[in-house]
Amino acid sequence: MTLTTRSGDARAERGAPPDRKPRHPGGRGRGRVAEALWGYAFIAPTGIGLAVFHLWPVLQTAYFSLTEWGYFGGHTWTGLDNYARLLADPEVGRALVNTLGYTALGLAGIPLAIVFAALLNQRGLRGAGVYRTLFFLPVVTMPVAVAMAWRWLYNGDYGLINHGLSLVGVDGPHWVADPATALYALAAVGIWSGLGYNLIIFLAGMQAIPREYYEAAEIDGAGRITQFFRVTLPLLSPTAFFVSIISVIGSLQLFDLVYVMAGSGPAARANPAFPRLQTVVQLFYDRAFVTNDRGYAAAIVVMLLLLITAMTAVQFRLQRRWVHYA
Amino acid sequence: MRKSTRFGAALLGVLLVVSACSGDGESDAAGGRDRITLSYAIWDNSQRPVMDELGREFTRTHPDVTIDVQLAPWTDYWTRLRAAAGGGAAPDVFWMNGPNFRLYASNGMLRSLEKEIARDGVDLSVYPRPLVDLYTLNGERFGLPKDMDTIGVWYNKALFDAKDVAHPADDWTWADFQSAAARLTDPAAGVYGTAAMLGSFQECQYNTIAQAGGHVISPDGRRSGYDDPRTIAGLRFWTDLIRAGRSPDLMSMTDTVPLQLFEVGKIAMYWGGSWNVAEFSANAYTRGRVDVAPLPRGERRATVIHGVANVVSATTGHPEEAWQFVRFLGSRQAADILGRKGPMPAHTGTQDAWVSAHPEFDLRTFVDAVAYGVPYPVSANTAAWNESELTHLARAWTGEVPVEEAAAGLAAEMNALLSRERS
C-alpha cells in the first residue's frame, strides 16, 4: 500500500507546478492518506475476493507443483522433479499439440461470427430478434447437454449426421472415435457453441460504428461489399482483437466438451481417438482427480498458465499490425 | 503447509460437527434419542431400489437410524470417493472392490472391524474364503462381503435359433465359441457374433488369459504377466475376433457400448457378469430372448471371481451404528432380500433364492462357476497399471500394432509401476 501511495506522490510532484497550493486545505499528508484508505476500503470486497479465491490458489498451485502427493493428501518437497517428468512425458506433448490445434481451429470461428453478425446487422432485416435468440441459444445451454447431444449426432453407426450422409451415398466416419476426425469434430462443436457469444460482441461493435462513415462511403460510390471491407472490418478490429484474446484463452482451457465427449479416467483410454482428444486441462484433471498425482497436475497447470501468458503477450504485440482504433 | 493442512482438517471437523448438529440432531420426541443419518455410497443404479429397501429394513430394527443411499455412477465413483476420503468427508458406509481395497486400507481410510467381529461373534465362514481374504490386510478384517460375481456368456436364443446354431453346451470350448461366433455374424443385418470389449477386463481379457494358462500379475504381486506367451494368447483370442469381423471394431464399440448392442439384438454372445441379471430381466427385449452359458474352456476352465464388500469409513461419526448396518447387510436376512432383487449374494446358502428369483435365466451357471474361479488380479496400486493396460492394448485392438508388441510395452510399463509400489 505504501508503495502505491509513494508512486502517487511522485506522479503528483512531477506533474504539479512548483508553486501549486496543496489540494486539500486540511493538511496535505493526512487528507491524502485518508482518501487513499477510503479508496482501498471501497475496492476491498473485490480485492479480498481476488486475493483469496484467485491469487492465493495460484501461489499455492505453484508451490504444489514442487511437491509430491500421497493418494489421500499429505505432500513432500521434491523440487523440480515434476517439471523434469513433464518434459519427458509423451502424453503432455500430445495434449499440448491437441490443445494448440483446437485453439487454431477455434480462431476460424471469428470470421464466421463476423459474417453472421454483418448479416444480422442489416437494416430492415425481418425477425432479427428471432435469429439473434437462435444463435445465442447454444451459449446459454449447459455445455454438458450440448456435448451429449453432439455425441449422439456424431455416432458412427446410428448417428443422425451419418444417416444424412448415407442418403447421399457417403459412408461417414466414427467422428469422435476415429483419430483422423476426432479433433475436427470437437472443434466444430466448440465453434458452434461459441458462435452466439462472439456474434453478440461483434454486433455491438458494428452498432458502435458511426453512421457517417457509411454515408460518406456511399457518396464516394462504395457498394455494400466494399463498405464491409473498407469501413466495417477496420473499425471492428478492436472488437476482433478482444474476441481473439478471449477465444484463445478459452480454447487453451478446453475441458467440458472433451470430458463429456471422450470421457475421463482409464475408461476414456479405450477410445482409439483418445490420443487426439486429450487436452492439457483434461490431462490435468486426470492426474489431479483420477490418479491423484496432485503435484504433477499442479506442474501441468503452471505450464498452461505460462503458455496462456505467452500467447496473450504475443497477441498484444501483433495487434499493432492489424488493429485500428478509430 | 503441515500446519495449514491440520488447520484445514480442524476446520473441516468443526464444519462436520456443526452440520451433524444441525442435520442429524433432531431429537426424537418419544424416546428423546438423537436420530442419526448414515450415508451409504453405492455405484450401481440398478441396485439402488434394493439398497433403499435394505436401508428401510435396517431402520425397522434401528428406528433412530436412517440410511441415506448416495449413488455415484461407476465412472465417477472412485474419483469422488477419493476426494471425499482425502478431505475427511467419506460416506459412513460404502461399497469397496478388490482393486481399490488395499489403497484405502493401507492409507488408514477404512475402519478395522476386527474388534466388533470378535465382540459380536460374527461367523465369517458363511462367506466364500477368497472374498473374506480379499478384504483382509495384515490379518485385520475391514469389510463384510456383500455379493459375489462370476462371468458367463449371455447369448441371444432368438439369434441362435434363426441361424440354426445349437445353444452352447456346458462343456464347450474356444473352438466351439469361435465357430458359433462365425455362424452368428450377419453383416447384412448388422449382427455380430460377439463383442471383444476393451474397457472391461473383468468380463473379457482376465478370463481368457486365465483360460489360456497365463496370468496378469505374479502371485507375489511383483511382476507383470503380460510378457508371458500364454497371457498373450488370451489377448489374441479377442483381437482375432475383431480382425475376422466377428466383433464390432473398437471405434464402433466406443460410439455404442456393446451392452446396448446386445440389448437390441445386434450382438449374439455377450461376455457379462452375474450382475447383469437385474438389467436383462428388466429389459423387455432381453427378458424372454437371452440366457446364460458357462465361459468356453481354453487350456482350462476359468472365470474371474470377485465380490463387493461393505466397509466403514475411518472418519465416521457413528462407528457403532455403521458397524451394525454393515453387519445387517452381511446377514442372512439381508442376503435373502438382495438375492431376490439384486446380485448374487455372498452369504452361503442364500444363492438359491437368487437363482430361483429369475427362472427365465439359467443362473445356476454363475453359482457353479465359483468352483473354478480365479482371483481378480490386484496389487497395492491397481489403478495405476489398469490405465497402462488400456493405453497399450487399445493400439492392438485397433490393429495399429501386433498384440505381442502392445503386450511387451504394457509388461515393461507395468513392471516399472509395480517396482515403484515397493519403494
Side-chain angles (χ1 to χ4, degrees), chain A residues 195-273:
Chain A
L195 185 65
Y197 178 76
N198 294 346
L199 191 143
I200 290 290
I201 295 176
F202 280 125
L203 262 179
M206 284 178 186
Q207 282 161 6
I209 299 173
R211 289 235 43 82
E212 289 79 15
Y213 291 117
Y214 291 102
E215 282 162 15
E218 239 175 272
I219 291 166
D220 288 347
R224 292 293 273 283
I225 304 290
T226 319
Q227 283 179 30
F228 174 76
F229 281 104
R230 293 295 173 83
V231 179
T232 310
L233 268 192
L235 291 176
L236 208 56
S237 57
T239 315
F241 176 62
F242 168 76
V243 171
S244 72
I245 297 268
I246 295 293
S247 160
V248 165
I249 293 178
S251 298
L252 290 174
Q253 297 180 346
L254 175 71
F255 173 68
D256 41 14
L257 268 184
V258 187
Y259 181 80
V260 178
M261 292 182 69
S264 82
R269 288 163 197 269
N271 180 346

Side-chain angles (χ1 to χ4, degrees), chain A residues 141-321:
Chain A
T141 311
M142 296 260 295
V144 172
V146 165
M148 290 282 286
W150 277 95
R151 178 95 223 235
W152 292 327
L153 290 173
Y154 275 144
N155 188 304
D157 301 301
Y158 307 102
L160 207 58
I161 292 176
N162 279 4
H163 179 70
L165 287 176
S166 73
L167 295 180
V168 294
V170 177
D171 188 17
H174 290 88
W175 296 96
V176 283
D178 189 333
T181 55
L183 190 64
Y184 302 100
L186 201 70
V189 180
I191 291 171
W192 175 81
S193 56
L195 185 65
Y197 178 76
N198 294 346
L199 191 143
I200 290 290
I201 295 176
F202 280 125
L203 262 179
M206 284 178 186
Q207 282 161 6
I209 299 173
R211 289 235 43 82
E212 289 79 15
Y213 291 117
Y214 291 102
E215 282 162 15
E218 239 175 272
I219 291 166
D220 288 347
R224 292 293 273 283
I225 304 290
T226 319
Q227 283 179 30
F228 174 76
F229 281 104
R230 293 295 173 83
V231 179
T232 310
L233 268 192
L235 291 176
L236 208 56
S237 57
T239 315
F241 176 62
F242 168 76
V243 171
S244 72
I245 297 268
I246 295 293
S247 160
V248 165
I249 293 178
S251 298
L252 290 174
Q253 297 180 346
L254 175 71
F255 173 68
D256 41 14
L257 268 184
V258 187
Y259 181 80
V260 178
M261 292 182 69
S264 82
R269 288 163 197 269
N271 180 346
F274 183 75
R276 292 291 288 145
L277 287 173
Q278 194 169 39
T279 63
V280 174
V281 179
Q282 201 218 16
L283 183 66
F284 154 76
Y285 175 84
D286 254 21
R287 292 293 162 254
F289 300 108
V290 180
T291 53
N292 252 37
D293 205 346
R294 296 264 160 93
Y296 189 50
I300 292 173
V301 279
V302 168
M303 176 195 75
L304 182 65
L305 174 73
L306 295 178
L307 181 70
I308 291 178
T309 312
M311 297 270 289
T312 310
V314 167
Q315 280 176 289
F316 267 96
R317 283 200 75 86
L318 287 180
Q319 67 153 329
R320 291 179 207 154
R321 304 249 178 100

